[in-house]
Amino acid sequence: MTTILNQHQDYQQAEEAYGFPLIIKQLLNRAKIASKDQTISYADKVTYTYAEFFKRVNRLANVLKNMGLQAGDVVAVMDWDSHRYLEAYFAVPMSGMILQTVNVRLAEDKVLYTINHSKPKALLLNAEFEPMAKNYRHEAPSIEKIIWLDDTQYDEDTEYGEDTIKTQQASMPDYAEGEYEAMLDTVSDEFDFPDFDENTIATTFYTSGTTGDPKGVFFTHRQIVLQTLSSTLASALSAEGQGARYNDVYMPMTPLFHVHAWCWPYGATMIGLKQVYPGRYVSEVLVDLIEQHKVTLSHGVPTILQMLIKEMATRGRKFNGLKLSVGGSKLNEALAEAALESGIEFISGFGMSESCPVLARVAFGDQTSTMTTTEQINYRCLSGSPIMLVSMEIWDENGKALPMDGESTGELVVRAPWLTQSYFKNPDAGDELWRGGWMHTQDIACITADGTLKITDRLKDVIKSGGEWVSSLEVENILSFHPCVAEVAVIGVADEKWGERPLALVVLKPEYVDIKAEDILALGHQAVEKGYLPKYGVPSEIRFLVEMPKTSVGKLDKKKMRIMYEEKLI
Amino acid sequence: MTTILNQHQDYQQAEEAYGFPLIIKQLLNRAKIASKDQTISYADKVTYTYAEFFKRVNRLANVLKNMGLQAGDVVAVMDWDSHRYLEAYFAVPMSGMILQTVNVRLAEDKVLYTINHSKPKALLLNAEFEPMAKNYRHEAPSIEKIIWLDDTQYDEDTEYGEDTIKTQQASMPDYAEGEYEAMLDTVSDEFDFPDFDENTIATTFYTSGTTGDPKGVFFTHRQIVLQTLSSTLASALSAEGQGARYNDVYMPMTPLFHVHAWCWPYGATMIGLKQVYPGRYVSEVLVDLIEQHKVTLSHGVPTILQMLIKEMATRGRKFNGLKLSVGGSKLNEALAEAALESGIEFISGFGMSESCPVLARVAFGDQTSTMTTTEQINYRCLSGSPIMLVSMEIWDENGKALPMDGESTGELVVRAPWLTQSYFKNPDAGDELWRGGWMHTQDIACITADGTLKITDRLKDVIKSGGEWVSSLEVENILSFHPCVAEVAVIGVADEKWGERPLALVVLKPEYVDIKAEDILALGHQAVEKGYLPKYGVPSEIRFLVEMPKTSVGKLDKKKMRIMYEEKLI
């Protein structure tokens, strides 16, 4: 592995100089020296040291090698967040293989689609998902080897949420190669991970996009290393009490199958932090673990934040300044207020499956010291500014860059060292993604003069009323302040006169049932009066739902809402 | 510029996908959006916004281009720390040229040697150094173009240290192309910096090594970007009150000609911090600027730290928690104590010219909350643990890796993505540097089980008494605690019986003149009794000096001391 110095003779590198490829194994260098005795836990089931973790990564690599797997082979994982998953995060790509993180929350047919599409040769299968794998085996499977992941061995020791965690588990089927722990036990704890080209593919997974089949994205070793460095830095630079620190205790609350859990497992291991993996996300278990392990650093979508606040409220206690990065969808200000009250220091960011994921983050300085609570909440809910190395532009429909004045609104396009370079076996969609040499986020946004990114809509969710754009996110935010509203979504529906009009879908809090639409819409009219919203932004109508249609990762599924509206189901 | 995905067809990149080379211009991406209105100051002379800075970088690139300079040409700078220097840090390498940061503190013949050796085509010359350049022109010069840097234009507005700052300045000589500001004024403020191979050489400078001629090291764009990300992160992860933050005010106190000022100017600009450049380092000016601009983040060698403490003491005030990274040579504990008392939050690190420079840094968590002051000082003075991505080993004389047990002592060898790949036009020394595929630091060290690096000596300064190693740094540290000792150095001198014996050289504080050697050595004997030092570690003798021999960058010059001893000059 050599670096080519592209200048003349005088700058040639020494014969034995080490060129240092940016590959995932290098993320372990610091922890190997500095954190040998630090611990990693799997819920209440397993706790071991980094020294043991390194050995188990070596063992897993030996298991994969002994099964005949080779560099370039895809190894899929279907598991909740466990120490095993973390081991696979390293051992699989460090062996030159490609880690596929299967989204087990998708509908079964979509899960099967992603597996059929990526063609893994091996699968690490949590017993809980055995029914899916069984069905899969009836199709034309690429999978030759299945490693069985079984939590029943820990059941005796389980302290938390036994009823919810214990599931009906199949016993290991004949077609499995063996049980994970048993297989690790039989091989050497030494493995010499080779150097290779940093542009080797390390991971692949599927976007849970609401349109059409899931699309596969893929990332190289170099991309993951650079995203990890830059997004960790973007957090750490935050003001006192807000950023990542050497003495944090980390626990993911974005699943490891979801865009590398925002690369935090790579970052936490790189720094050598104490880590906790919570298994399946059950509110009581998450809060138990946060309290028991004194977790200080995590991340999650707004839905998780809501779960945490609710669970802690039932305990009559508060979080102790838990630092939580929030992304995935827009945080509304009512939830944000509740988070601060519950003792959670949240910060919003912006990213997507195609971008590894982090692109922007609130750069939390000391501004809050002079802010009112409302101002502070508003500030923390923004999408922040680009993190280190990220370029952003706002383009109009003709690909012309618009000024960053907080008013000019268009599609956000980006450049960064960690963007998927296409879609897997879908070059047309890849070419569309990279139209004009910038990656198209399909998000409609503006950027203020001081560099703050404001996402106003998804391109496909845009509402155009009387020729003017309505920001559905802005309208949702305003209506969310009504004390009776649990959840709100605004979609565009066809209108003869205006082309489209915003329609608000609302789920009420259980204790309110008799509220009238006008009462909620009154908030919209007030916003118009105060100049926060154009008149045409107030929805013409509200329809009440019992449950809000959502995607597998908890985002509002507006595509489904539009279909339901057209089919007169709402 | 494309990334090659080295897997099969399915993972091919989209035709227009942007591969994102790690080149210095990308360090500006975030600040271009987020910090347009943030300011950069040159002492009390100039303050402008980042928006203006970006324009001036463009202007400088146009000036260089218009002079006929091309990619690959070396552009040397001889200046104190100024906004101009920062502009050159970006404009020169972003133009594909190589920035040579000339160490103006070296003896004139050494300065001329480095210029003759690297063969710059252009020179940015501060008027103060005109005499050197004049002499240079009598030799066989490579320099075709000289840009004149003249501070007299600011003299009217100078508030600080007028007597010390104002120097006899030559007026612009005929051979100069023009004055910097005048040349910038005449060209466009737009420049389209091209993408190119990230392995292009960006910078070169010369080690001020105490042995033989200075040796040239060189760094690529990729190396500087990666060092900047990783060392900024290593600081930012530090506990509350200790690490880099979005709201810091940055000022260098390691000169910009000295190993890229530890890459902090690149880091500060990447983050988009408020920045202050202090010109020549004059104690009063530095402290004035720190107080006026509320500087919170800096770095320097122990000599600078000493200057700051002394100057602030004369003012009867304290620093307000200034975060100062200290490196370059070992910080002794007496100085460390004074620093904390003076309100400076210092952290030690470890690096060298060959390593861009940062390799290790104290990972400041919350340990200090439970430490006594003595323990805390001891902790902060260590060399820390490897920063992100850095591999370290301790080798015996046969190149065998020793255990990390805090006892096994040998040469520290390293791997990192930012190490010079050889020495400029000195391949033999480069091969020696990289013997066995690891970079040899020539530092003797041990690493504790918890990952702390302890440098005990320079390889060439090692003292071997009766077959046993004596750590000169350890002995110096112990003797530095004597209240009369201003500075102390310990060298090995020939001894018939023991092979070598340690000799202590001491500079006394001015108020003490009658102190006896035995009084100081008594500290050594006490350390032996307490088990801190082996018996053979106590120097046989102390000699008192009026001034300590030092290198151009303020390090103890032990080579010179040994020569002086041999020549009976001390």
Side-chain angles (χ1 to χ4, degrees):
Chain A
M1 196 60 231
T2 52
T3 297
I4 299 130
L5 305 177
N6 75 341
Q7 309 277 339
H8 53 78
Q9 190 80 12
D10 295 332
Y11 297 97
Q12 267 190 350
Q13 69 185 151
E15 213 168 300
E16 295 188 83
Y18 181 69
F20 207 101
L22 292 178
I23 54 181
I24 286 172
K25 78 168 183 183
Q26 313 278 18
L27 291 177
L28 299 177
N29 291 344
R30 172 181 156 75
K32 271 192 175 162
I33 293 179
S35 295
K36 287 195 283 283
D37 299 330
Q38 188 55 275
T39 61
I40 298 172
S41 298
Y42 171 35
D44 61 332
K45 299 174 171 58
V46 180
T47 292
Y48 59 49
T49 63
Y50 272 67
E52 186 64 18
F53 166 71
F54 300 136
K55 283 183 187 169
R56 288 171 58 93
V57 168
N58 291 346
R59 287 179 188 273
L60 177 53
N62 276 317
V63 165
L64 298 174
K65 187 182 162 199
N66 293 349
M67 291 195 313
L69 295 172
Q70 295 183 324
D73 286 344
V74 175
V75 177
V77 179
M78 291 175 72
D79 196 7
W80 301 119
D81 292 5
S82 68
H83 61 316
R84 299 173 299 236
Y85 217 139
L86 185 68
E87 288 156 13
Y89 257 50
F90 287 90
V92 174
M94 282 162 62
S95 299
M97 299 164 194
I98 301 168
L99 175 73
Q100 183 185 1
T101 52
V102 179
N103 182 344
V104 293
R105 288 271 189 206
L106 288 178
E108 185 173 315
D109 65 322
K110 294 274 186 188
V111 172
L112 298 189
Y113 172 87
T114 65
I115 297 180
N116 273 321
H117 192 256
S118 59
K119 305 237 174 291
K121 276 214 177 152
L123 172 65
L124 276 64
L125 177 67
N126 185 311
E128 200 174 322
F129 307 114
E130 200 269 342
M132 281 195 213
K134 199 186 271 169
N135 292 344
Y136 168 72
R137 295 184 74 248
H138 295 300
E139 308 199 11
S142 61
I143 296 172
E144 296 166 12
K145 310 281 179 186
I146 287 182
I147 299 178
W148 189 249
L149 312 179
D150 186 352
D151 277 351
T152 54
Q153 59 188 304
Y154 308 118
D155 271 358
E156 285 172 27
D157 307 325
T158 298
E159 284 170 26
Y160 304 119
E162 297 190 9
D163 298 338
T164 40
I165 265 203
K166 267 194 211 161
T167 48
Q168 237 189 343
Q169 284 202 342
S171 53
M172 186 169 79
D174 299 339
Y175 58 76
E177 288 290 305
E179 190 273 326
Y180 187 86
E181 291 299 328
M183 290 179 86
L184 255 57
D185 279 349
T186 60
V187 295
S188 161
D189 64 7
E190 291 188 5
F191 191 93
D192 192 16
F193 288 102
D195 280 358
F196 44 73
D197 188 327
E198 67 192 28
N199 296 311
T200 302
I201 304 295
T203 62
T204 185
F205 59 87
Y206 284 74
T207 63
S208 49
T210 48
T211 47
D213 285 323
K215 291 200 286 285
V217 294
F218 46 86
F219 298 95
T220 66
H221 281 253
R222 168 188 166 108
Q223 290 181 318
I224 286 173
V225 169
L226 291 171
Q227 157 76 186
T228 300
L229 283 172
S230 189
S231 68
T232 314
L233 176 56
S235 164
L237 287 166
S238 299
E240 317 316 303
Q242 303 292 339
R245 302 287 181 260
Y246 286 116
N247 54 345
D248 273 325
V249 179
Y250 165 73
M251 182 172 86
M253 291 195 283
T254 314
L256 269 72
F257 60 71
H258 191 213
V259 206
H260 317 119
W262 305 352
C263 276
W264 274 109
Y266 287 119
T269 311
M270 171 182 76
I271 303 167
L273 300 184
K274 180 176 171 186
Q275 301 185 58
V276 182
Y277 287 81
R280 189 148 62 102
Y281 292 0
V282 180
S283 303
E284 305 96 85
V285 177
L286 293 177
V287 176
D288 278 349
L289 290 171
I290 289 169
E291 294 199 308
Q292 188 204 333
H293 289 279
K294 299 187 170 55
V295 172
T296 57
L297 185 70
S298 191
H299 46 83
V301 294
T303 310
I304 285 284
L305 180 59
Q306 203 155 24
M307 281 168 56
L308 294 177
I309 294 168
K310 197 174 157 195
E311 172 61 26
M312 196 55 112
T314 66
R315 302 185 183 199
R317 291 195 292 273
K318 289 192 177 194
F319 293 93
N320 194 13
L322 172 68
K323 295 172 281 191
L324 191 81
S325 302
V326 177
S329 41
K330 179 84 172 72
L331 187 58
N332 74 56
E333 290 167 21
L335 179 58
E337 204 173 321
L340 283 185
E341 270 166 27
S342 183
I344 295 175
E345 296 287 347
F346 69 92
I347 284 290
S348 289
F350 172 76
M352 54 202 300
S353 296
E354 286 81 354
S355 63
C356 200
V358 185
L359 291 169
R361 191 185 157 86
V362 173
F364 205 103
D366 56 359
Q367 304 94 329
T368 53
S369 56
T370 57
M371 281 182 182
T372 65
T373 309
T374 311
E375 282 170 341
Q376 193 184 136
I377 285 169
N378 180 41
Y379 177 74
R380 286 175 185 249
C381 288
L382 298 173
S383 296
S385 47
I387 69 170
M388 276 47 74
L389 303 181
V390 174
S391 271
M392 293 187 168
E393 290 188 357
I394 299 291
W395 282 11
D396 70 11
E397 286 144 10
N398 306 313
K400 195 175 146 276
L402 298 170
M404 297 185 183
D405 54 9
E407 298 198 353
S408 306
T409 300
E411 190 187 5
L412 175 68
V413 298
V414 296
R415 285 178 164 180
W418 47 72
L419 309 179
T420 191
Q421 297 285 292
S422 185
Y423 289 111
F424 183 63
K425 293 196 279 193
N426 194 346
D428 289 349
D431 288 343
E432 185 61 20
L433 180 70
W434 276 103
R435 211 166 63 250
W438 289 69
M439 201 189 86
H440 291 253
T441 64
Q442 298 213 43
D443 276 306
I444 302 298
C446 65
I447 298 178
T448 62
D450 70 351
T452 299
L453 177 65
K454 291 186 179 172
I455 305 288
T456 57
D457 246 317
R458 288 291 291 165
L459 190 53
K460 58 181 184 300
D461 294 336
V462 151
I463 304 167
K464 218 163 185 179
S465 174
E468 298 289 341
W469 278 357
V470 175
S471 165
S472 63
L473 297 183
E474 206 175 321
V475 182
E476 287 162 10
N477 195 32
I478 289 165
L479 301 188
S480 74
F481 273 98
H482 194 283
C484 307
V485 170
E487 289 184 280
V488 54
V490 173
I491 58 172
V493 296
D495 182 276
E496 267 191 36
K497 183 172 175 190
W498 302 105
E500 268 187 340
R501 286 292 298 142
L503 167 75
L505 305 175
V506 165
V507 175
L508 291 173
K509 290 184 185 164
E511 59 269 38
Y512 302 99
V513 284
D514 280 340
I515 189 77
K516 284 183 190 160
E518 294 81 65
D519 289 356
I520 298 171
L521 287 179
L523 284 179
H525 295 300
Q526 283 167 27
V528 173
E529 275 166 33
K530 288 182 185 158
Y532 296 159
L533 191 70
K535 204 175 168 192
Y536 50 82
V538 181
S540 302
E541 194 184 346
I542 290 187
R543 303 213 177 165
F544 295 99
L545 308 185
V546 175
E547 197 182 2
M548 198 62 87
K550 286 190 184 160
T551 69
S552 67
V553 295
K555 297 187 192 185
L556 296 175
D557 190 344
K558 294 196 175 176
K559 187 191 167 205
K560 198 169 169 190
M561 294 176 203
R562 284 189 292 263
I563 292 171
M564 288 168 76
Y565 178 83
E566 280 161 27
E567 294 178 353
K568 302 194 193 311
L569 297 172
I570 50 178
Chain B
M1 196 59 231
T2 53
T3 298
I4 298 130
L5 305 177
N6 74 341
Q7 309 277 342
H8 53 77
Q9 190 80 13
D10 295 333
Y11 297 98
Q12 268 189 350
Q13 68 186 153
E15 213 168 299
E16 295 189 82
Y18 182 68
F20 208 100
L22 291 178
I23 55 180
I24 286 172
K25 80 168 181 182
Q26 314 279 18
L27 292 177
L28 299 178
N29 291 345
R30 175 183 152 75
K32 271 192 176 164
I33 293 179
S35 295
K36 287 194 285 281
D37 299 329
Q38 188 54 278
T39 62
I40 298 172
S41 298
Y42 171 35
D44 61 331
K45 299 174 172 59
V46 179
T47 292
Y48 59 49
T49 62
Y50 272 66
E52 185 65 18
F53 166 72
F54 300 135
K55 283 184 188 169
R56 286 170 59 93
V57 167
N58 291 345
R59 286 179 187 274
L60 178 52
N62 276 317
V63 165
L64 299 173
K65 186 182 164 201
N66 292 349
M67 291 196 314
L69 295 172
Q70 294 182 325
D73 286 345
V74 175
V75 177
V77 178
M78 293 175 72
D79 195 8
W80 301 119
D81 292 4
S82 68
H83 61 315
R84 297 173 299 236
Y85 217 138
L86 184 69
E87 288 155 13
Y89 258 48
F90 287 90
V92 174
M94 280 162 63
S95 300
M97 300 166 194
I98 301 169
L99 175 73
Q100 183 185 2
T101 53
V102 180
N103 182 343
V104 294
R105 287 271 191 209
L106 288 177
E108 184 172 318
D109 64 325
K110 296 272 188 191
V111 172
L112 298 188
Y113 172 87
T114 65
I115 297 180
N116 273 322
H117 192 256
S118 60
K119 306 239 175 289
K121 276 215 176 149
L123 172 65
L124 275 63
L125 178 66
N126 184 311
E128 200 175 319
F129 307 113
E130 198 272 339
M132 283 195 211
K134 198 185 271 168
N135 292 344
Y136 168 74
R137 297 186 73 249
H138 294 300
E139 308 198 11
S142 62
I143 297 173
E144 295 167 11
K145 309 283 178 184
I146 287 181
I147 298 178
W148 191 249
L149 312 179
D150 187 353
D151 278 351
T152 54
Q153 59 186 306
Y154 308 118
D155 272 358
E156 285 173 25
D157 306 323
T158 299
E159 285 171 23
Y160 305 118
E162 296 191 8
D163 299 338
T164 40
I165 265 204
K166 268 192 208 163
T167 49
Q168 239 189 344
Q169 285 203 341
S171 53
M172 187 168 80
D174 298 341
Y175 58 76
E177 288 291 305
E179 190 273 327
Y180 187 85
E181 292 297 330
M183 290 178 86
L184 256 55
D185 279 349
T186 59
V187 295
S188 160
D189 63 7
E190 292 188 6
F191 191 93
D192 192 15
F193 289 103
D195 280 358
F196 44 73
D197 189 329
E198 66 192 29
N199 296 309
T200 301
I201 304 294
T203 64
T204 185
F205 59 88
Y206 284 74
T207 65
S208 48
T210 49
T211 47
D213 285 324
K215 291 200 286 288
V217 294
F218 45 88
F219 298 94
T220 65
H221 282 254
R222 168 187 165 108
Q223 291 181 317
I224 287 173
V225 170
L226 291 172
Q227 157 77 187
T228 300
L229 284 173
S230 190
S231 69
T232 313
L233 176 56
S235 164
L237 287 166
S238 299
E240 316 316 307
Q242 302 293 339
R245 301 288 181 259
Y246 286 116
N247 54 343
D248 273 324
V249 179
Y250 166 74
M251 183 174 86
M253 291 194 285
T254 315
L256 270 72
F257 59 73
H258 190 213
V259 206
H260 317 120
W262 304 353
C263 277
W264 274 109
Y266 286 119
T269 311
M270 170 182 74
I271 304 167
L273 299 184
K274 180 176 171 183
Q275 301 186 58
V276 182
Y277 287 80
R280 189 147 63 102
Y281 292 0
V282 180
S283 303
E284 306 96 85
V285 177
L286 293 178
V287 176
D288 279 349
L289 291 171
I290 290 168
E291 293 198 307
Q292 189 205 332
H293 288 280
K294 301 187 170 53
V295 171
T296 56
L297 185 70
S298 191
H299 47 82
V301 294
T303 312
I304 285 283
L305 180 57
Q306 204 155 23
M307 281 168 57
L308 294 177
I309 294 169
K310 197 173 158 196
E311 171 63 24
M312 195 55 110
T314 67
R315 301 184 184 200
R317 291 195 291 272
K318 292 192 176 194
F319 292 92
N320 194 13
L322 173 69
K323 294 171 283 191
L324 192 82
S325 302
V326 177
S329 39
K330 179 84 171 74
L331 187 58
N332 74 55
E333 290 168 20
L335 178 58
E337 205 173 319
L340 282 186
E341 272 166 25
S342 185
I344 295 176
E345 297 287 348
F346 69 92
I347 284 290
S348 289
F350 172 75
M352 54 201 301
S353 296
E354 286 81 353
S355 63
C356 200
V358 184
L359 291 170
R361 188 185 158 87
V362 173
F364 205 103
D366 55 0
Q367 303 94 332
T368 54
S369 55
T370 58
M371 282 181 179
T372 66
T373 308
T374 312
E375 283 169 341
Q376 189 182 141
I377 284 168
N378 181 42
Y379 177 74
R380 286 173 184 252
C381 286
L382 298 173
S383 295
S385 47
I387 69 170
M388 275 48 72
L389 303 181
V390 174
S391 271
M392 293 188 167
E393 290 188 357
I394 300 291
W395 282 11
D396 71 11
E397 285 145 10
N398 305 313
K400 196 177 145 278
L402 298 169
M404 298 185 183
D405 55 9
E407 298 198 350
S408 306
T409 299
E411 189 186 5
L412 176 67
V413 298
V414 295
R415 283 178 166 180
W418 46 73
L419 307 178
T420 191
Q421 296 287 291
S422 185
Y423 289 112
F424 184 63
K425 291 195 279 195
N426 194 346
D428 290 349
D431 287 343
E432 186 62 19
L433 180 71
W434 276 103
R435 212 165 64 250
W438 289 70
M439 200 189 87
H440 291 253
T441 64
Q442 299 213 43
D443 277 306
I444 302 298
C446 64
I447 299 179
T448 62
D450 70 350
T452 298
L453 176 67
K454 290 185 181 174
I455 306 287
T456 58
D457 246 319
R458 287 291 290 167
L459 190 56
K460 58 180 187 298
D461 294 336
V462 152
I463 305 168
K464 217 163 187 179
S465 175
E468 298 288 343
W469 278 356
V470 175
S471 165
S472 63
L473 296 184
E474 206 175 323
V475 182
E476 287 162 10
N477 194 33
I478 289 165
L479 301 187
S480 75
F481 273 97
H482 195 284
C484 306
V485 170
E487 287 185 282
V488 55
V490 173
I491 58 172
V493 296
D495 181 275
E496 269 191 31
K497 184 171 176 192
W498 301 104
E500 268 187 343
R501 286 292 299 139
L503 168 74
L505 305 175
V506 165
V507 176
L508 291 173
K509 290 183 184 164
E511 58 271 37
Y512 302 99
V513 285
D514 279 340
I515 189 76
K516 282 180 188 163
E518 293 83 62
D519 290 353
I520 297 170
L521 287 179
L523 284 181
H525 295 300
Q526 285 167 24
V528 172
E529 276 166 34
K530 289 183 184 158
Y532 296 160
L533 193 70
K535 204 175 166 189
Y536 50 81
V538 181
S540 303
E541 197 184 342
I542 289 187
R543 304 216 175 161
F544 294 99
L545 308 184
V546 176
E547 197 182 3
M548 198 60 87
K550 288 193 182 156
T551 70
S552 66
V553 293
K555 297 187 191 186
L556 295 176
D557 190 343
K558 294 196 175 176
K559 188 190 166 204
K560 197 168 170 191
M561 294 177 203
R562 284 189 292 264
I563 292 170
M564 288 169 76
Y565 178 83
E566 280 161 27
E567 294 178 352
K568 301 192 194 310
L569 297 172
I570 52 176

